[in-house]
Amino acid sequence: MGVLTGKTALVTGASRGIGRGVAERLGRDGPRIAVHYGSDKTAAKETVAAIEAAGGSAFAIGVRLGMPGDADRLWEEFDRHADGLDILVHNAGIGTSRPFAEIGEEEFDRLFAVNVKAPFFLTRLGAERLRDGGRVVNISSGLARAAAMPQLIAYAMTKAALDVFTRDLSKELGPRGITVNSVAPGIVDTDVNAAWLRASEEAWQEAAALAALGRVGTPADIADVVAFLVSEDGRWVTGHWLDATGGSLT
């Protein structure tokens, strides 16, 4: 029997990349997984199928984040499938490559709507569904504390805001035995990063060299960290920013 059998988890942005890796990894530990997706229904169904093929249980929820009323709609969908929540993983997010001098207000607002506002209100409106002793994990980024990268300034700002949310929410939910933590990946081999990571062998090697461990991260590397935090073994860790960059910040 899995260590999380009988529990229910929601992973946002779980149709691909890190989110899919987290959903599949947690699914092996026994909880029922709500696989959230924004637009790629086919990919979400593939995630559900992979979890079920491994002996787990899952269902998909399709709601585009960053839009007015997104949190209400997501919980309405969730409530059709489950009657409570134990684990909430905020993974859904968008990035940008526009530098400070070029980014416009619309793109800036969209970044904060998806990466900051959505997790905030999903948690606020979902707090009554989150059972005592539950877990909240926010997927941050090493960029929130790494050397300055002006071309990613707005994205890094959203992740820094998410880290403050983590810190303060841990105090808010702590009396209920709910832990809240941030996990900060570095460069991870996902389809979002594929274009530049796989542009050349040189690009790949340069990315790998940034990590003390000498390689590019995988979704599984991040998923295992999340699995620890949501398990009973992670019960005494809260309000924490966990560096999961493979030593890129050392």
Side-chain angles (χ1 to χ4, degrees):
M1 181 177 292
V3 295
L4 299 177
T5 296
K7 297 184 181 297
T8 300
L10 166 62
V11 182
T12 66
S15 63
R16 58 180 182 159
I18 291 173
R20 178 169 180 168
V22 170
E24 292 186 14
R25 173 63 181 83
L26 297 187
R28 297 201 301 271
D29 285 340
R32 193 176 184 209
I33 308 292
V35 175
H36 163 265
Y37 67 95
S39 59
D40 197 338
K41 185 176 183 179
T42 299
K45 287 185 174 181
E46 291 173 355
T47 303
V48 169
I51 293 170
E52 292 177 341
S57 174
F59 58 92
I61 298 176
V63 175
R64 185 181 178 191
L65 300 181
M67 309 294 289
D70 54 0
D72 284 311
R73 287 193 298 274
L74 190 148
W75 288 120
E76 286 174 6
E77 289 292 322
F78 178 88
D79 290 342
R80 294 190 178 99
H81 299 272
D83 60 1
L85 183 69
D86 302 282
I87 299 163
L88 175 57
V89 181
H90 291 297
N91 166 77
I94 56 175
T96 178
S97 59
R98 293 180 185 272
F100 173 71
E102 297 177 13
I103 189 168
E105 287 189 36
E106 183 176 350
E107 184 176 0
F108 184 93
D109 290 344
R110 173 76 177 149
L111 279 165
F112 273 84
V114 175
N115 296 2
V116 182
K117 185 177 179 180
F120 184 97
F121 283 98
L122 280 174
T123 308
R124 191 178 76 77
L125 298 180
E128 63 185 22
R129 297 168 175 85
L130 192 60
R131 298 184 181 97
D132 291 356
R135 303 284 191 266
V136 178
V137 177
N138 297 316
I139 303 300
S140 180
S141 170
L143 287 175
R145 303 193 185 188
M149 296 182 68
Q151 70 272 28
L152 297 171
I153 184 171
Y155 173 78
M157 287 170 65
T158 66
K159 293 304 185 178
L162 196 63
D163 292 340
V164 172
F165 179 53
T166 294
R167 182 195 67 197
D168 291 2
L169 188 65
S170 69
K171 291 285 190 178
E172 179 74 22
L173 299 182
R176 295 176 53 195
I178 298 170
T179 67
V180 186
N181 293 286
S182 286
V183 172
I187 299 174
V188 179
D189 184 16
T190 65
D191 56 353
V192 173
N193 294 325
W196 68 273
L197 267 179
R198 299 185 180 279
S200 67
E201 180 62 23
E202 181 181 15
W204 183 275
Q205 293 302 326
E206 287 178 354
L210 292 174
L213 295 176
R215 65 173 176 84
V216 174
T218 68
D221 293 326
I222 312 306
D224 284 340
V225 174
V226 175
F228 161 72
L229 289 173
V230 305
S231 73
E232 180 63 16
D233 291 342
R235 64 191 177 278
W236 200 237
V237 181
T238 195
H240 183 61
W241 189 89
L242 200 159
D243 179 347
T245 68
S248 298
L249 306 186
T250 58

PDB file of all heavy atoms in Angstrom, residues 1-36:
ATOM      1  N   MET A   1       0.847  -1.193   0.000  1.00  0.00           N
ATOM      2  CA  MET A   1       0.000   0.000   0.000  1.00  0.00           C
ATOM      3  C   MET A   1       0.880   1.239   0.000  1.00  0.00           C
ATOM      4  O   MET A   1       1.856   1.322   0.744  1.00  0.00           O
ATOM      5  CB  MET A   1      -0.923   0.003   1.220  1.00  0.00           C
ATOM      6  CG  MET A   1      -1.863   1.206   1.293  1.00  0.00           C
ATOM      7  SD  MET A   1      -2.987   1.124   2.701  1.00  0.00           S
ATOM      8  CE  MET A   1      -4.029  -0.261   2.226  1.00  0.00           C
ATOM      9  N   GLY A   2       0.546   2.230  -0.861  1.00  0.00           N
ATOM     10  CA  GLY A   2       1.327   3.447  -0.943  1.00  0.00           C
ATOM     11  C   GLY A   2       1.225   4.277   0.317  1.00  0.00           C
ATOM     12  O   GLY A   2       0.233   4.216   1.056  1.00  0.00           O
ATOM     13  N   VAL A   3       2.250   5.080   0.548  1.00  0.00           N
ATOM     14  CA  VAL A   3       2.295   5.871   1.778  1.00  0.00           C
ATOM     15  C   VAL A   3       1.247   6.979   1.790  1.00  0.00           C
ATOM     16  O   VAL A   3       0.971   7.556   2.845  1.00  0.00           O
ATOM     17  CB  VAL A   3       3.693   6.479   1.976  1.00  0.00           C
ATOM     18  CG1 VAL A   3       4.719   5.383   2.189  1.00  0.00           C
ATOM     19  CG2 VAL A   3       4.088   7.358   0.802  1.00  0.00           C
ATOM     20  N   LEU A   4       0.661   7.286   0.629  1.00  0.00           N
ATOM     21  CA  LEU A   4      -0.359   8.331   0.562  1.00  0.00           C
ATOM     22  C   LEU A   4      -1.723   7.778   0.165  1.00  0.00           C
ATOM     23  O   LEU A   4      -2.608   8.539  -0.235  1.00  0.00           O
ATOM     24  CB  LEU A   4       0.068   9.415  -0.434  1.00  0.00           C
ATOM     25  CG  LEU A   4       1.375  10.158  -0.122  1.00  0.00           C
ATOM     26  CD1 LEU A   4       1.710  11.136  -1.236  1.00  0.00           C
ATOM     27  CD2 LEU A   4       1.272  10.888   1.217  1.00  0.00           C
ATOM     28  N   THR A   5      -1.896   6.489   0.277  1.00  0.00           N
ATOM     29  CA  THR A   5      -3.172   5.862  -0.080  1.00  0.00           C
ATOM     30  C   THR A   5      -4.311   6.458   0.741  1.00  0.00           C
ATOM     31  O   THR A   5      -4.177   6.680   1.954  1.00  0.00           O
ATOM     32  CB  THR A   5      -3.109   4.347   0.145  1.00  0.00           C
ATOM     33  OG1 THR A   5      -2.128   3.793  -0.745  1.00  0.00           O
ATOM     34  CG2 THR A   5      -4.451   3.691  -0.135  1.00  0.00           C
ATOM     35  N   GLY A   6      -5.419   6.753   0.076  1.00  0.00           N
ATOM     36  CA  GLY A   6      -6.576   7.330   0.745  1.00  0.00           C
ATOM     37  C   GLY A   6      -6.614   8.837   0.694  1.00  0.00           C
ATOM     38  O   GLY A   6      -7.617   9.442   1.086  1.00  0.00           O
ATOM     39  N   LYS A   7      -5.552   9.451   0.198  1.00  0.00           N
ATOM     40  CA  LYS A   7      -5.488  10.905   0.110  1.00  0.00           C
ATOM     41  C   LYS A   7      -5.814  11.368  -1.310  1.00  0.00           C
ATOM     42  O   LYS A   7      -5.833  10.575  -2.253  1.00  0.00           O
ATOM     43  CB  LYS A   7      -4.107  11.416   0.532  1.00  0.00           C
ATOM     44  CG  LYS A   7      -3.778  11.110   1.992  1.00  0.00           C
ATOM     45  CD  LYS A   7      -2.456  11.710   2.394  1.00  0.00           C
ATOM     46  CE  LYS A   7      -2.112  11.374   3.842  1.00  0.00           C
ATOM     47  NZ  LYS A   7      -3.077  11.945   4.796  1.00  0.00           N
ATOM     48  N   THR A   8      -6.044  12.669  -1.449  1.00  0.00           N
ATOM     49  CA  THR A   8      -6.325  13.272  -2.756  1.00  0.00           C
ATOM     50  C   THR A   8      -5.361  14.421  -2.983  1.00  0.00           C
ATOM     51  O   THR A   8      -5.136  15.239  -2.085  1.00  0.00           O
ATOM     52  CB  THR A   8      -7.769  13.796  -2.824  1.00  0.00           C
ATOM     53  OG1 THR A   8      -8.675  12.717  -2.616  1.00  0.00           O
ATOM     54  CG2 THR A   8      -8.054  14.431  -4.183  1.00  0.00           C
ATOM     55  N   ALA A   9      -4.778  14.469  -4.179  1.00  0.00           N
ATOM     56  CA  ALA A   9      -3.817  15.525  -4.520  1.00  0.00           C
ATOM     57  C   ALA A   9      -4.261  16.244  -5.783  1.00  0.00           C
ATOM     58  O   ALA A   9      -4.808  15.633  -6.701  1.00  0.00           O
ATOM     59  CB  ALA A   9      -2.433  14.921  -4.730  1.00  0.00           C
ATOM     60  N   LEU A  10      -4.021  17.543  -5.824  1.00  0.00           N
ATOM     61  CA  LEU A  10      -4.240  18.347  -7.022  1.00  0.00           C
ATOM     62  C   LEU A  10      -2.905  18.920  -7.463  1.00  0.00           C
ATOM     63  O   LEU A  10      -2.214  19.577  -6.673  1.00  0.00           O
ATOM     64  CB  LEU A  10      -5.224  19.483  -6.729  1.00  0.00           C
ATOM     65  CG  LEU A  10      -5.318  20.606  -7.777  1.00  0.00           C
ATOM     66  CD1 LEU A  10      -5.804  20.072  -9.124  1.00  0.00           C
ATOM     67  CD2 LEU A  10      -6.250  21.720  -7.284  1.00  0.00           C
ATOM     68  N   VAL A  11      -2.537  18.664  -8.723  1.00  0.00           N
ATOM     69  CA  VAL A  11      -1.313  19.216  -9.295  1.00  0.00           C
ATOM     70  C   VAL A  11      -1.714  20.097 -10.472  1.00  0.00           C
ATOM     71  O   VAL A  11      -2.300  19.611 -11.442  1.00  0.00           O
ATOM     72  CB  VAL A  11      -0.356  18.108  -9.780  1.00  0.00           C
ATOM     73  CG1 VAL A  11       0.933  18.728 -10.317  1.00  0.00           C
ATOM     74  CG2 VAL A  11      -0.048  17.128  -8.648  1.00  0.00           C
ATOM     75  N   THR A  12      -1.424  21.387 -10.393  1.00  0.00           N
ATOM     76  CA  THR A  12      -1.770  22.265 -11.507  1.00  0.00           C
ATOM     77  C   THR A  12      -0.692  22.179 -12.584  1.00  0.00           C
ATOM     78  O   THR A  12       0.475  21.926 -12.305  1.00  0.00           O
ATOM     79  CB  THR A  12      -1.940  23.732 -11.051  1.00  0.00           C
ATOM     80  OG1 THR A  12      -0.684  24.248 -10.605  1.00  0.00           O
ATOM     81  CG2 THR A  12      -2.975  23.830  -9.937  1.00  0.00           C
ATOM     82  N   GLY A  13      -1.111  22.393 -13.823  1.00  0.00           N
ATOM     83  CA  GLY A  13      -0.166  22.301 -14.929  1.00  0.00           C
ATOM     84  C   GLY A  13       0.454  20.928 -15.039  1.00  0.00           C
ATOM     85  O   GLY A  13       1.654  20.790 -15.283  1.00  0.00           O
ATOM     86  N   ALA A  14      -0.372  19.883 -14.899  1.00  0.00           N
ATOM     87  CA  ALA A  14       0.143  18.520 -14.796  1.00  0.00           C
ATOM     88  C   ALA A  14       0.097  17.741 -16.102  1.00  0.00           C
ATOM     89  O   ALA A  14       0.316  16.535 -16.104  1.00  0.00           O
ATOM     90  CB  ALA A  14      -0.629  17.755 -13.720  1.00  0.00           C
ATOM     91  N   SER A  15      -0.165  18.417 -17.201  1.00  0.00           N
ATOM     92  CA  SER A  15      -0.264  17.688 -18.464  1.00  0.00           C
ATOM     93  C   SER A  15       1.094  17.449 -19.109  1.00  0.00           C
ATOM     94  O   SER A  15       1.216  16.626 -20.021  1.00  0.00           O
ATOM     95  CB  SER A  15      -1.164  18.447 -19.446  1.00  0.00           C
ATOM     96  OG  SER A  15      -0.605  19.711 -19.776  1.00  0.00           O
ATOM     97  N   ARG A  16       2.134  18.148 -18.631  1.00  0.00           N
ATOM     98  CA  ARG A  16       3.450  17.985 -19.239  1.00  0.00           C
ATOM     99  C   ARG A  16       4.531  18.469 -18.282  1.00  0.00           C
ATOM    100  O   ARG A  16       4.255  19.052 -17.242  1.00  0.00           O
ATOM    101  CB  ARG A  16       3.536  18.782 -20.538  1.00  0.00           C
ATOM    102  CG  ARG A  16       3.282  20.264 -20.365  1.00  0.00           C
ATOM    103  CD  ARG A  16       3.374  21.030 -21.667  1.00  0.00           C
ATOM    104  NE  ARG A  16       3.183  22.459 -21.470  1.00  0.00           N
ATOM    105  CZ  ARG A  16       3.601  23.397 -22.319  1.00  0.00           C
ATOM    106  NH1 ARG A  16       4.244  23.044 -23.404  1.00  0.00           N
ATOM    107  NH2 ARG A  16       3.380  24.667 -22.078  1.00  0.00           N
ATOM    108  N   GLY A  17       5.777  18.220 -18.663  1.00  0.00           N
ATOM    109  CA  GLY A  17       6.916  18.749 -17.933  1.00  0.00           C
ATOM    110  C   GLY A  17       6.985  18.352 -16.475  1.00  0.00           C
ATOM    111  O   GLY A  17       6.700  17.212 -16.095  1.00  0.00           O
ATOM    112  N   ILE A  18       7.396  19.307 -15.646  1.00  0.00           N
ATOM    113  CA  ILE A  18       7.549  19.052 -14.218  1.00  0.00           C
ATOM    114  C   ILE A  18       6.222  18.633 -13.600  1.00  0.00           C
ATOM    115  O   ILE A  18       6.167  17.720 -12.767  1.00  0.00           O
ATOM    116  CB  ILE A  18       8.109  20.298 -13.502  1.00  0.00           C
ATOM    117  CG1 ILE A  18       9.564  20.535 -13.927  1.00  0.00           C
ATOM    118  CG2 ILE A  18       8.016  20.151 -11.988  1.00  0.00           C
ATOM    119  CD1 ILE A  18      10.154  21.827 -13.402  1.00  0.00           C
ATOM    120  N   GLY A  19       5.125  19.288 -13.997  1.00  0.00           N
ATOM    121  CA  GLY A  19       3.820  18.953 -13.438  1.00  0.00           C
ATOM    122  C   GLY A  19       3.436  17.511 -13.694  1.00  0.00           C
ATOM    123  O   GLY A  19       2.932  16.823 -12.804  1.00  0.00           O
ATOM    124  N   ARG A  20       3.662  17.040 -14.916  1.00  0.00           N
ATOM    125  CA  ARG A  20       3.367  15.643 -15.216  1.00  0.00           C
ATOM    126  C   ARG A  20       4.258  14.719 -14.392  1.00  0.00           C
ATOM    127  O   ARG A  20       3.796  13.705 -13.866  1.00  0.00           O
ATOM    128  CB  ARG A  20       3.549  15.358 -16.707  1.00  0.00           C
ATOM    129  CG  ARG A  20       3.304  13.895 -17.046  1.00  0.00           C
ATOM    130  CD  ARG A  20       3.221  13.642 -18.535  1.00  0.00           C
ATOM    131  NE  ARG A  20       2.982  12.231 -18.793  1.00  0.00           N
ATOM    132  CZ  ARG A  20       2.641  11.719 -19.968  1.00  0.00           C
ATOM    133  NH1 ARG A  20       2.480  12.523 -21.019  1.00  0.00           N
ATOM    134  NH2 ARG A  20       2.463  10.423 -20.121  1.00  0.00           N
ATOM    135  N   GLY A  21       5.544  15.079 -14.287  1.00  0.00           N
ATOM    136  CA  GLY A  21       6.447  14.262 -13.486  1.00  0.00           C
ATOM    137  C   GLY A  21       5.990  14.158 -12.045  1.00  0.00           C
ATOM    138  O   GLY A  21       6.027  13.071 -11.441  1.00  0.00           O
ATOM    139  N   VAL A  22       5.535  15.282 -11.473  1.00  0.00           N
ATOM    140  CA  VAL A  22       5.039  15.285 -10.090  1.00  0.00           C
ATOM    141  C   VAL A  22       3.772  14.438  -9.970  1.00  0.00           C
ATOM    142  O   VAL A  22       3.641  13.633  -9.041  1.00  0.00           O
ATOM    143  CB  VAL A  22       4.786  16.727  -9.618  1.00  0.00           C
ATOM    144  CG1 VAL A  22       4.036  16.731  -8.278  1.00  0.00           C
ATOM    145  CG2 VAL A  22       6.092  17.486  -9.494  1.00  0.00           C
ATOM    146  N   ALA A  23       2.837  14.619 -10.887  1.00  0.00           N
ATOM    147  CA  ALA A  23       1.577  13.871 -10.831  1.00  0.00           C
ATOM    148  C   ALA A  23       1.821  12.365 -10.905  1.00  0.00           C
ATOM    149  O   ALA A  23       1.244  11.588 -10.133  1.00  0.00           O
ATOM    150  CB  ALA A  23       0.659  14.321 -11.965  1.00  0.00           C
ATOM    151  N   GLU A  24       2.676  11.942 -11.828  1.00  0.00           N
ATOM    152  CA  GLU A  24       2.953  10.517 -11.969  1.00  0.00           C
ATOM    153  C   GLU A  24       3.701   9.976 -10.761  1.00  0.00           C
ATOM    154  O   GLU A  24       3.433   8.862 -10.296  1.00  0.00           O
ATOM    155  CB  GLU A  24       3.741  10.257 -13.248  1.00  0.00           C
ATOM    156  CG  GLU A  24       2.935  10.518 -14.518  1.00  0.00           C
ATOM    157  CD  GLU A  24       3.685  10.121 -15.774  1.00  0.00           C
ATOM    158  OE1 GLU A  24       4.709   9.406 -15.674  1.00  0.00           O
ATOM    159  OE2 GLU A  24       3.249  10.545 -16.874  1.00  0.00           O
ATOM    160  N   ARG A  25       4.638  10.753 -10.237  1.00  0.00           N
ATOM    161  CA  ARG A  25       5.401  10.305  -9.058  1.00  0.00           C
ATOM    162  C   ARG A  25       4.502  10.173  -7.838  1.00  0.00           C
ATOM    163  O   ARG A  25       4.553   9.162  -7.119  1.00  0.00           O
ATOM    164  CB  ARG A  25       6.536  11.300  -8.782  1.00  0.00           C
ATOM    165  CG  ARG A  25       7.306  11.038  -7.488  1.00  0.00           C
ATOM    166  CD  ARG A  25       8.012   9.696  -7.520  1.00  0.00           C
ATOM    167  NE  ARG A  25       8.725   9.460  -6.276  1.00  0.00           N
ATOM    168  CZ  ARG A  25       8.160   8.981  -5.163  1.00  0.00           C
ATOM    169  NH1 ARG A  25       6.854   8.682  -5.154  1.00  0.00           N
ATOM    170  NH2 ARG A  25       8.866   8.799  -4.075  1.00  0.00           N
ATOM    171  N   LEU A  26       3.672  11.168  -7.600  1.00  0.00           N
ATOM    172  CA  LEU A  26       2.770  11.080  -6.450  1.00  0.00           C
ATOM    173  C   LEU A  26       1.769   9.957  -6.633  1.00  0.00           C
ATOM    174  O   LEU A  26       1.387   9.289  -5.666  1.00  0.00           O
ATOM    175  CB  LEU A  26       2.044  12.410  -6.238  1.00  0.00           C
ATOM    176  CG  LEU A  26       2.904  13.627  -5.888  1.00  0.00           C
ATOM    177  CD1 LEU A  26       2.012  14.817  -5.538  1.00  0.00           C
ATOM    178  CD2 LEU A  26       3.854  13.322  -4.750  1.00  0.00           C
ATOM    179  N   GLY A  27       1.336   9.743  -7.876  1.00  0.00           N
ATOM    180  CA  GLY A  27       0.379   8.675  -8.145  1.00  0.00           C
ATOM    181  C   GLY A  27       0.881   7.315  -7.710  1.00  0.00           C
ATOM    182  O   GLY A  27       0.091   6.452  -7.302  1.00  0.00           O
ATOM    183  N   ARG A  28       2.188   7.108  -7.745  1.00  0.00           N
ATOM    184  CA  ARG A  28       2.761   5.825  -7.328  1.00  0.00           C
ATOM    185  C   ARG A  28       2.677   5.619  -5.824  1.00  0.00           C
ATOM    186  O   ARG A  28       2.796   4.486  -5.332  1.00  0.00           O
ATOM    187  CB  ARG A  28       4.221   5.717  -7.792  1.00  0.00           C
ATOM    188  CG  ARG A  28       4.395   5.738  -9.290  1.00  0.00           C
ATOM    189  CD  ARG A  28       5.724   5.121  -9.700  1.00  0.00           C
ATOM    190  NE  ARG A  28       6.876   5.771  -9.143  1.00  0.00           N
ATOM    191  CZ  ARG A  28       7.513   6.803  -9.713  1.00  0.00           C
ATOM    192  NH1 ARG A  28       7.060   7.299 -10.861  1.00  0.00           N
ATOM    193  NH2 ARG A  28       8.588   7.329  -9.155  1.00  0.00           N
ATOM    194  N   ASP A  29       2.489   6.724  -5.081  1.00  0.00           N
ATOM    195  CA  ASP A  29       2.393   6.614  -3.629  1.00  0.00           C
ATOM    196  C   ASP A  29       0.962   6.432  -3.137  1.00  0.00           C
ATOM    197  O   ASP A  29       0.726   6.389  -1.923  1.00  0.00           O
ATOM    198  CB  ASP A  29       3.010   7.843  -2.960  1.00  0.00           C
ATOM    199  CG  ASP A  29       4.531   7.818  -3.008  1.00  0.00           C
ATOM    200  OD1 ASP A  29       5.093   6.727  -3.194  1.00  0.00           O
ATOM    201  OD2 ASP A  29       5.157   8.892  -2.865  1.00  0.00           O
ATOM    202  N   GLY A  30      -0.003   6.376  -4.061  1.00  0.00           N
ATOM    203  CA  GLY A  30      -1.349   5.979  -3.672  1.00  0.00           C
ATOM    204  C   GLY A  30      -2.466   6.990  -3.664  1.00  0.00           C
ATOM    205  O   GLY A  30      -3.633   6.588  -3.638  1.00  0.00           O
ATOM    206  N   PRO A  31      -2.199   8.305  -3.694  1.00  0.00           N
ATOM    207  CA  PRO A  31      -3.335   9.226  -3.643  1.00  0.00           C
ATOM    208  C   PRO A  31      -4.060   9.294  -4.978  1.00  0.00           C
ATOM    209  O   PRO A  31      -3.507   8.960  -6.030  1.00  0.00           O
ATOM    210  CB  PRO A  31      -2.691  10.573  -3.327  1.00  0.00           C
ATOM    211  CG  PRO A  31      -1.353  10.481  -3.981  1.00  0.00           C
ATOM    212  CD  PRO A  31      -0.924   9.044  -3.774  1.00  0.00           C
ATOM    213  N   ARG A  32      -5.288   9.742  -4.951  1.00  0.00           N
ATOM    214  CA  ARG A  32      -6.008  10.042  -6.185  1.00  0.00           C
ATOM    215  C   ARG A  32      -5.511  11.396  -6.671  1.00  0.00           C
ATOM    216  O   ARG A  32      -5.444  12.350  -5.893  1.00  0.00           O
ATOM    217  CB  ARG A  32      -7.508  10.090  -5.905  1.00  0.00           C
ATOM    218  CG  ARG A  32      -8.361  10.092  -7.164  1.00  0.00           C
ATOM    219  CD  ARG A  32      -9.817  10.040  -6.815  1.00  0.00           C
ATOM    220  NE  ARG A  32     -10.626   9.936  -8.022  1.00  0.00           N
ATOM    221  CZ  ARG A  32     -11.861  10.401  -8.124  1.00  0.00           C
ATOM    222  NH1 ARG A  32     -12.432  11.001  -7.083  1.00  0.00           N
ATOM    223  NH2 ARG A  32     -12.538  10.262  -9.243  1.00  0.00           N
ATOM    224  N   ILE A  33      -5.166  11.485  -7.955  1.00  0.00           N
ATOM    225  CA  ILE A  33      -4.540  12.687  -8.481  1.00  0.00           C
ATOM    226  C   ILE A  33      -5.492  13.458  -9.384  1.00  0.00           C
ATOM    227  O   ILE A  33      -6.002  12.915 -10.372  1.00  0.00           O
ATOM    228  CB  ILE A  33      -3.270  12.359  -9.291  1.00  0.00           C
ATOM    229  CG1 ILE A  33      -2.317  11.470  -8.487  1.00  0.00           C
ATOM    230  CG2 ILE A  33      -2.578  13.646  -9.721  1.00  0.00           C
ATOM    231  CD1 ILE A  33      -1.688  12.137  -7.304  1.00  0.00           C
ATOM    232  N   ALA A  34      -5.718  14.731  -9.058  1.00  0.00           N
ATOM    233  CA  ALA A  34      -6.426  15.643  -9.955  1.00  0.00           C
ATOM    234  C   ALA A  34      -5.384  16.272 -10.866  1.00  0.00           C
ATOM    235  O   ALA A  34      -4.513  17.014 -10.418  1.00  0.00           O
ATOM    236  CB  ALA A  34      -7.165  16.716  -9.158  1.00  0.00           C
ATOM    237  N   VAL A  35      -5.454  15.946 -12.147  1.00  0.00           N
ATOM    238  CA  VAL A  35      -4.502  16.418 -13.138  1.00  0.00           C
ATOM    239  C   VAL A  35      -5.066  17.672 -13.806  1.00  0.00           C
ATOM    240  O   VAL A  35      -5.934  17.590 -14.674  1.00  0.00           O
ATOM    241  CB  VAL A  35      -4.228  15.321 -14.191  1.00  0.00           C
ATOM    242  CG1 VAL A  35      -3.321  15.854 -15.297  1.00  0.00           C
ATOM    243  CG2 VAL A  35      -3.614  14.090 -13.530  1.00  0.00           C
ATOM    244  N   HIS A  36      -4.584  18.826 -13.396  1.00  0.00           N
ATOM    245  CA  HIS A  36      -5.078  20.071 -13.993  1.00  0.00           C
ATOM    246  C   HIS A  36      -4.318  20.386 -15.265  1.00  0.00           C
ATOM    247  O   HIS A  36      -3.104  20.159 -15.373  1.00  0.00           O
ATOM    248  CB  HIS A  36      -4.927  21.237 -13.021  1.00  0.00           C
ATOM    249  CG  HIS A  36      -5.035  22.569 -13.716  1.00  0.00           C
ATOM    250  ND1 HIS A  36      -3.932  23.279 -14.156  1.00  0.00           N
ATOM    251  CD2 HIS A  36      -6.125  23.299 -14.113  1.00  0.00           C
ATOM    252  CE1 HIS A  36      -4.319  24.383 -14.750  1.00  0.00           C
ATOM    253  NE2 HIS A  36      -5.642  24.421 -14.744  1.00  0.00           N
TER     254      HIS A  36
END
